[in-house]
């Protein structure tokens, strides 16, 4: 049986008023366009075409909400780093994501998908910075690890671990095609949910 047998699409939001009700817990996925975010989500949920891998420029502006279990969600944030994105589109992206991070009480943590051959870029650092500012942990998936030999992949993982603040950010190797690291990231997602629920429970003033 699948790890998330009841996973399903909930809604897409172009603006904050369209976000799903801020209750329960959710883990958000971010990544540069083409980093392998959709493929990672599909592998984690174990469904083909769950998060669509083919994208029109319009869809890149949406935050997509999916249910994993009752009151546990996966949020697919719009990809960044598209070439030749007009300024108004960039501004919309920044405002939409900025508002999401500022407002979202149910956000348990952030998963940043990074192509292992590219390493962390400016936008990835921006996402890590946002999650740090609101006190949520982040976890980096070094995707497409199958493209490198094991030793080279481990070398990059160690390099990334040296660059990040390991008290708040963790990292792992991942491959959607070989399905390596899938169980590890599922465990991370479930523990992010659990730790958010326990922190909300000890701080009732922030409960919705
Ligand atoms: P997104 O834009 O971040 O959602 O990226 P996609 O999931 O659409 O993947 C971008 C490209 O990378 C596609 O051609 C995928 O087939 C390829 N890709 C994604 N994950 C992997 C992986 O684990 N291994 C390899 N070799 N290719 C991958």
């Amino acid at each position: 049986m699948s790890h998330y047998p009841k996973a399903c699409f909930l809604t897409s939001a172009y603006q904050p008023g369209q976000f799903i009700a801020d209750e329960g817990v959710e883990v958000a996925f971010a990544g540069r366009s083409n980093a392998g975010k959709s493929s990672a989500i599909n592998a984690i949920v174990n469904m083909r075409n769950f998060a669509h891998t083919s994208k029109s420029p319009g869809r890149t502006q949406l935050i997509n909400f999916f249910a994993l279990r009752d009151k546990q969600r996966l949020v697919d944030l719009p990809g960044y780093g598209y070439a030749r994105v007009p300024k108004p589109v960039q501004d919309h992206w920044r405002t939409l994501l900025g508002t999401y991070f500022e407002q979202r009480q149910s956000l348990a943590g952030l998963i940043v998908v990074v192509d292992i051959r590219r390493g962390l870029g400016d936008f990835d650092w921006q996402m890590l910075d946002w999650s740090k500012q609101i006190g949520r942990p982040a976890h980096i998936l070094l995707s497409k690890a199958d493209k490198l030999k094991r030793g080279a992949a481990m070398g990059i993982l160690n390099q990334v671990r040296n660059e990040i603040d390991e008290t708040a950010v963790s990292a792992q190797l991942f491959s959607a095609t070989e399905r390596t690291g899938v169980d590890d990231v599922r465990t991370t997602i479930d523990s992010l949910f659990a730790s958010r629920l326990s922190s909300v429970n000890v701080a009732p003033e922030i409960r919705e």
Side-chain angles (χ1 to χ4, degrees):
M1 202 209 246
S2 156
H3 194 70
Y4 303 110
K6 293 187 175 162
C8 62
F9 172 77
L10 292 170
T11 193
S12 293
Y14 180 74
Q15 49 201 24
Q18 298 166 336
F19 293 169
I20 207 109
D22 193 6
E23 52 194 31
V25 280
E26 63 195 28
V27 164
F29 276 66
R32 196 190 160 87
S33 77
N34 224 33
K37 175 163 60 75
S38 309
S39 304
I41 294 172
N42 291 340
I44 291 162
V45 177
N46 201 21
M47 283 188 229
R48 262 174 225 274
N49 298 324
F50 185 74
H52 295 284
T53 41
S54 66
K55 285 151 239 106
S56 65
R59 287 194 71 249
T60 65
Q61 291 292 293
L62 301 174
I63 294 184
N64 295 302
F65 293 85
F66 300 89
L68 289 181
R69 304 191 185 99
D70 187 32
K71 295 203 167 71
Q72 297 185 352
R73 291 178 301 275
L74 184 158
V75 180
D76 186 8
L77 299 176
Y80 37 82
Y82 287 91
R84 296 185 299 277
V85 174
K87 177 104 179 17
V89 176
Q90 281 178 38
D91 290 347
H92 175 263
W93 178 87
R94 196 167 284 279
T95 310
L96 182 66
L97 269 86
T99 310
Y100 174 80
F101 278 95
E102 266 167 38
Q103 288 186 352
R104 217 56 192 163
Q105 290 301 317
S106 52
L107 180 61
L110 179 71
I111 311 272
V112 184
V113 182
V114 176
D115 186 326
I116 193 163
R117 297 162 306 171
R118 298 190 72 127
L120 287 158
D122 290 348
F123 281 110
D124 301 314
W125 284 110
Q126 159 95 78
M127 302 306 293
L128 294 177
D129 198 44
W130 270 340
S131 68
K132 186 178 177 181
Q133 279 176 32
I134 58 164
R136 303 300 203 285
H139 183 70
I140 298 169
L141 293 188
L142 290 172
S143 68
K144 311 187 194 180
D146 58 283
K147 298 263 194 188
L148 298 182
K149 293 209 167 86
R150 177 84 189 159
M154 285 305 296
I156 293 180
L157 176 62
N158 288 330
Q159 203 178 307
V160 166
R161 283 179 172 156
N162 284 332
E163 287 176 56
I164 57 180
D165 170 4
E166 283 198 86
T167 57
V169 187
S170 48
Q172 66 161 92
L173 298 179
F174 186 86
S175 163
T177 47
E178 313 259 286
R179 304 192 60 80
T180 45
V182 174
D183 287 338
D184 293 329
V185 62
R186 286 176 178 159
T187 302
T188 299
I189 291 170
D190 289 343
S191 65
L192 286 171
F193 287 153
S195 68
R196 182 69 190 152
L197 284 170
S198 63
S199 74
V200 172
N201 283 339
V202 295
E205 71 277 10
I206 61 169
R207 204 175 335 175
E208 281 295 291

